[in-house]
Amino acid sequence: EAQVTQNPRYLITVTGKKLTVTCSQNMNHEYMSWYRQDPGLGLRQIYYSMNVEVTDKGDVPEGYKVSRKEKRNFPLILESPSPNQTSLYFCASRGPLSGQAKFFGPGTRLTVL
Amino acid sequence: DAKTTQPNSMESNEEEPVHLPCNHSTISGTDYIHWYRQLPSQGPEYVIHGLTSNVNNRMASLAIAEDRKSSTLILHRATLRDAAVYYCILQGAQKLVFGQGTRLTINP
């Protein structure tokens, strides 16, 4: 089954404790991206990657890092999480053409205390 | 980035057609019009997309105005499972810019 998986699905942590949210897709997609969703603000793009070793900032990249060492994986790294990064996070992937549909993961709900 | 404007909410009855409007007056020539929906506690789900011509798939139809400044998502026979937030989005080279979406309520 074609899918995007994220782990963990739920995470409660404390300020300053480094964490990684993993994202993996099994569709051989070139393009992957991360979004965060907050009430009243909708979905905002954090980072995206056009292919292996190619990443770029989205609209709200501050406080986040990403890496794309393999085509199927695109982890989101929070080096020093803060409470304002409490949010619902979605990973997405699509093929190489900009008009193609995106597939979204199930989401990771992160709480930073 | 080009933005879209959608009504905050709409309501319809089960088994009736639903027309969800979207305005995108600043659309560029290379922007695709995408529609996604998000059910409670789930990630966004692709519904349909188009560039200039009207499009049909098993889920819905997409009607695009001739000047491309607006579009309409058509659910031909709404079911309770269609209750969701529907996002009309313009996809450029890299980004999908999400607006606030339309919360669709389906009455039994």
Side-chain angles (χ1 to χ4, degrees):
Chain A
E1 181 191 352
Q3 61 182 352
V4 178
T5 57
Q6 296 178 227
N7 281 293
R9 295 289 315 280
Y10 302 91
L11 179 61
I12 300 174
T13 189
V14 295
T15 299
K17 186 176 181 182
K18 180 180 178 179
L19 67 92
T20 299
V21 184
T22 65
C23 172
S24 183
Q25 50 93 4
N26 63 0
M27 295 165 280
N28 201 36
H29 283 165
E30 285 78 6
Y31 180 97
M32 297 183 75
S33 57
W34 276 101
Y35 291 84
R36 61 178 288 174
Q37 186 172 33
D38 303 289
L41 297 175
L43 278 141
R44 295 177 293 168
Q45 191 180 59
I46 303 170
Y47 268 95
Y48 64 93
S49 170
M50 299 292 285
N51 214 323
V52 176
E53 302 292 1
V54 181
T55 63
D56 207 348
K57 297 177 181 179
D59 295 315
V60 288
E62 293 77 23
Y64 304 95
K65 284 176 57 177
V66 292
S67 70
R68 188 90 182 274
K69 293 184 170 52
E70 304 166 287
K71 197 172 187 180
R72 64 183 294 126
N73 297 322
F74 190 44
L76 180 69
I77 303 156
L78 285 72
E79 295 269 3
S80 183
S82 63
N84 65 13
Q85 292 178 297
T86 293
S87 187
L88 181 57
Y89 292 87
F90 291 102
C91 180
S93 74
R94 65 163 168 79
L97 302 178
S98 61
Q100 291 174 294
K102 274 189 178 176
F103 292 80
F104 284 82
T108 295
R109 185 166 293 282
L110 172 66
T111 301
V112 183
L113 302 174
Chain B
D1 298 308
K3 294 283 193 289
T4 62
T5 305
Q6 300 176 252
N8 288 333
S9 62
M10 290 185 65
E11 200 170 325
S12 185
N13 298 319
E14 203 174 6
E15 298 190 4
E16 290 184 356
V18 180
H19 290 234
L20 295 163
C22 181
N23 288 318
H24 30 78
S25 58
T26 59
I27 189 171
S28 74
T30 56
D31 285 339
Y32 284 80
I33 301 160
H34 282 239
W35 283 81
Y36 288 76
R37 70 181 186 182
Q38 188 172 20
L39 280 65
S41 302
Q42 294 188 25
E45 174 190 28
Y46 168 79
V47 177
I48 199 166
H49 78 282
L51 186 60
T52 56
S53 304
N54 295 344
V55 184
N56 299 296
N57 66 20
R58 63 175 180 81
M59 289 180 72
S61 295
L62 176 60
I64 301 172
E66 197 168 330
D67 62 5
R68 300 211 325 128
K69 294 186 176 182
S70 65
S71 60
T72 302
L73 177 71
I74 303 163
L75 306 178
H76 295 285
R77 284 187 73 201
T79 70
L80 296 177
R81 287 174 295 179
D82 291 322
V85 178
Y86 286 78
Y87 295 99
C88 167
I89 299 151
L90 302 182
Q91 178 155 317
Q94 289 95 21
K95 290 186 182 182
L96 222 57
V97 181
F98 282 80
Q100 294 302 310
T102 297
R103 183 173 298 278
L104 176 64
T105 300
I106 304 296
N107 299 314

